[in-house]
Amino acid sequence: QYYDISNGDYDKGNRSGTWVKYSGTTKQIEYTYQNKSPNMWHRNYDYVKYQKGKVIKKGQYRKGRLDGNFEEYDKKTYALISAGDYLNGKKHSTWTYYDNSSAIDSVGSYLNGKKQNLWKYYKNNFSGKSLIEKEVTYSNNQIKSEKIFTDDSFYEIVYDSPGSSNYIRYND
């Protein structure tokens, strides 16, 4: 039989402290309320989502939006797959993404939910060492340039408008 149950404390009719939502006997979500707003969607709380007793998402909500540190985990291996910050419901600041082996896949920053500045993309070589595969510079979610690394060199593509390359520069 399937059923949802939430339990926790109330203070003057509002949820207070830590609340846990269960599906059957399995913990699904844990909320820790920081304020006592009567409007449920404007409350501040820390959020942890579970699958089979393992954490798959952790974050913070402020006024009903993701705001603060956020982590997401793979639903099969439970390894960390992304970590960064939200501001007013949009990705903001530095984010790190991980591959299936928990090695860093990419690192870069967001501003108001859009990729900004330098992003580094990595690959693992045969010995398991992580190497930079390419560096991409973004402005307002648009690619401005790409630097692609080969074994002993690199080349750079610079765009004067999105999608059209202006020139390619090779490292000699």
Side-chain angles (χ1 to χ4, degrees), residues 45-164:
Y45 56 89
D46 296 333
Y47 167 88
V48 181
K49 186 172 183 178
Y50 297 88
Q51 176 179 287
K52 298 179 182 176
K54 303 280 188 178
V55 174
I56 57 171
K57 288 184 183 179
K58 279 199 299 193
Q60 300 165 333
Y61 280 81
R62 303 295 174 254
K63 298 183 180 176
R65 295 181 181 169
L66 280 166
D67 196 292
N69 187 268
F70 180 82
E71 294 176 355
E72 186 170 13
Y73 298 82
D74 185 270
K75 292 179 181 179
K76 292 180 182 174
T77 65
Y78 305 107
L80 183 64
I81 56 174
S82 67
D85 291 322
Y86 276 89
L87 181 63
N88 294 320
K90 295 179 180 178
K91 289 181 178 180
H92 190 77
S93 189
T94 301
W95 275 74
T96 304
Y97 294 89
Y98 300 88
D99 66 16
N100 294 337
S101 66
S102 298
I104 294 175
D105 183 63
S106 60
V107 177
S109 61
Y110 287 92
L111 180 64
N112 292 322
K114 296 180 178 179
K115 288 183 176 180
Q116 203 65 21
N117 300 323
L118 181 66
W119 278 69
K120 293 183 179 184
Y121 296 87
Y122 296 86
K123 66 179 177 181
N124 289 326
N125 66 7
F126 294 109
S127 66
K129 184 178 178 185
S130 188
L131 304 170
I132 296 175
E133 182 176 32
K134 67 180 175 177
E135 294 179 345
V136 180
T137 302
Y138 292 90
S139 177
N140 205 24
N141 226 31
Q142 300 292 319
I143 296 174
K144 293 296 182 187
S145 68
E146 296 180 81
K147 188 182 284 186
I148 295 140
F149 296 89
T150 60
D151 291 333
D152 57 357
S153 186
F154 71 87
Y155 63 94
E156 186 173 15
I157 304 169
V158 179
Y159 301 90
D160 57 356
S161 62
S164 64

Side-chain angles (χ1 to χ4, degrees), residues 6 10 13-15 19 21 29 31 33-45 61-65:
S6 292
Y10 281 95
N14 297 310
R15 288 183 179 191
W19 274 71
K21 179 180 179 182
I29 301 174
Y31 305 92
Y33 290 93
Q34 306 296 322
N35 71 341
K36 298 175 175 80
S37 171
N39 182 339
M40 183 174 154
W41 303 111
H42 288 97
R43 293 182 183 156
N44 297 340
Y45 56 89
Y61 280 81
R62 303 295 174 254
K63 298 183 180 176
R65 295 181 181 169

